[in-house]
Amino acid sequence: MPYHDRPRTLREVLRTLTLASAALLSHPAVAAPIQSGLWTLLKYAGRDYLPLEQVGRFYGFGGVQRSGAGFVIGSGDRTLRGAADSSDLHISRIKCILSYPVTEISGILCISRVDLVKLVEPVLRPFKIEGASRVDSVVLDAGHGGSDCGAVGRLGDEKTFTLDVALRASDLLARAGYKVVLTRSSDEYVALEDRVRVANRLPAALFISIHFNSGGLGTGVETYAMSPRGVPSMSVDSAPVAEFVAYPGNARDSENAALATATHAALVARSGMFDRGIKRSRFFVLREASLPGVLMEAGFLSNPEDMHRIASPWYRQQVAGAILEAVRNYRRAVGGQTV
Ligand SMILES: [Zn+2]
């Protein structure tokens, strides 16, 4: 690669590196890192990695400051914070769970290319996502319903609480001037295919699926975005082969990450719950939706403390408020108008 050909945007960088990577793959005996302008591409466990030092420089954050296994890049509101061999990465104040841990390769702290492109970039620069600002409506998907109760809690079922949050959020969004479509508005069973069909009819909408968690004494809130192609899911939702399929939801990888950021920030702030981070999955509604989408898990019905909060109308109003804030934050972040 010509050294003087300095790429200006991340997209250019990645195009250049993809070519370089293909060249490396055709010469598997070549183990040396690939240099292109600012960037050095390293191979580890069959994946592409980039030095965090270069990532910090690219975004104007400055160099990596290390303390034991931990590191920080940047200061104030513009930081990347994590640790070697850990998948937890705080991008500014947003806790994200990387698809692959930060890895030290020959003494250099590196992030996987897929995490850089599909997570760090859209979280830090959502305004770079083309066409993302066209949003005039919101599809609210109350999880479960009818014969499908979802998680069962002593103070109520998941299906009841998700519908209550959806109705509250619908009211807030409508009053703020958004067109709102509900995948269900009563205690009825709606097939996943029908939920997605409703959503995919709207050309300029966001899709927000509302759920509550269960599983032992787990606690806190988490937000799922569709797994990019080739990375593992963090939930039990599909066969491993699905990793290599490009689903309709993958056409919105960048918007999905930006919407997850807006949603999770609002959910953590409003709920006051433990922050479990932004995660990846191939839940049916995320992989088949052709519009930007997220799935929120707003607490654990299997945890007595979480359950008491979820059962309180005040808490559910906070979650509904977080959904309105998420939509507003997303539109502001991608450079669209604010309502
Ligand atoms: Zn659920």
Side-chain angles (χ1 to χ4, degrees):
M1 288 294 129
Y3 285 84
H4 62 270
D5 183 19
R6 180 176 159 161
R8 281 168 305 212
T9 66
L10 194 59
R11 185 175 291 187
E12 282 176 57
V13 168
L14 298 162
R15 202 179 299 126
T16 319
L17 286 175
T18 302
L19 293 171
S21 178
L24 179 70
L25 286 172
S26 63
H27 298 91
V30 180
I34 296 168
Q35 189 77 34
S36 172
L38 275 180
W39 297 91
T40 309
L41 185 77
L42 297 117
K43 283 270 177 190
Y44 177 74
R47 280 187 289 280
D48 295 347
Y49 284 82
L50 295 151
L52 277 167
E53 187 76 33
Q54 296 177 353
V55 174
R57 233 180 294 149
F58 180 79
Y59 288 109
F61 283 19
V64 178
Q65 299 160 54
R66 296 190 66 170
S67 161
F71 70 85
V72 182
I73 306 172
S75 59
D77 267 356
R78 291 168 59 77
T79 53
L80 297 174
R81 184 160 51 84
D85 301 321
S86 170
S87 295
D88 288 6
L89 181 73
H90 282 81
I91 306 175
S92 298
R93 294 204 186 105
I94 306 295
K95 180 178 174 183
C96 300
I97 312 301
L98 297 169
S99 293
Y100 302 104
V102 165
T103 301
E104 200 159 358
I105 306 171
S106 307
I108 302 169
L109 270 185
C110 294
I111 186 169
S112 76
R113 182 167 73 158
V114 70
D115 281 314
L116 174 63
V117 179
K118 300 288 188 177
L119 187 69
V120 175
E121 168 69 2
V123 171
L124 283 178
R125 304 198 301 181
F127 50 90
K128 294 264 184 190
I129 307 169
E130 281 170 29
S133 61
R134 229 163 55 83
V135 174
D136 60 18
S137 42
V138 180
V139 180
L140 295 174
D141 177 46
H144 313 281
S147 58
D148 172 11
C149 296
V152 176
R154 205 164 36 81
L155 301 178
D157 293 340
E158 183 183 357
K159 67 170 184 176
T160 311
F161 296 137
T162 59
L163 178 60
D164 183 72
V165 169
L167 294 172
R168 289 170 186 270
S170 170
D171 190 41
L172 293 177
L173 285 160
R175 275 194 269 148
Y178 291 97
K179 184 180 165 206
V180 183
V181 175
L182 296 164
T183 57
R184 70 178 177 100
S185 52
S186 63
D187 182 17
E188 58 181 324
Y189 177 81
V190 181
L192 297 176
E193 291 84 350
D194 292 330
R195 294 170 191 256
V196 171
R197 204 168 296 134
V198 166
N200 286 349
R201 276 202 294 261
L202 296 153
L206 300 175
F207 179 82
I208 299 178
S209 189
I210 304 155
H211 287 255
F212 293 94
N213 239 324
S214 69
L217 291 177
T219 182
V221 295
E222 58 196 16
T223 303
Y224 283 91
M226 174 68 187
S227 303
R229 188 178 183 181
V231 311
S233 170
M234 297 176 198
S235 64
V236 183
D237 50 53
S238 51
V241 70
E243 280 181 38
F244 303 100
V245 177
Y247 289 99
N250 288 125
R252 302 296 199 144
D253 278 344
S254 295
E255 286 108 312
N256 294 339
L259 181 59
T261 305
T263 303
H264 196 64
L267 184 58
V268 169
R270 292 275 185 139
S271 71
M273 293 274 249
F274 175 71
D275 181 355
R276 299 173 64 87
I278 293 175
K279 299 182 175 180
R280 298 294 197 176
S281 104
R282 290 188 180 82
F283 292 127
F284 186 92
V285 291
L286 296 184
R287 69 178 191 243
E288 299 300 334
S290 56
L291 63 171
V294 287
L295 186 146
M296 61 159 64
E297 297 274 7
F300 278 70
L301 282 168
S302 51
N303 177 305
E305 268 184 44
D306 281 22
M307 179 183 65
H308 275 99
R309 302 192 76 177
I310 295 164
S312 110
W314 180 86
Y315 178 79
R316 297 195 300 273
Q317 189 66 27
Q318 295 307 303
V319 178
I323 292 173
L324 171 63
E325 200 176 313
V327 173
R328 285 177 160 160
N329 285 349
Y330 173 82
R331 296 184 77 198
R332 196 175 300 126
V334 297
Q337 54 290 53
T338 54
V339 170

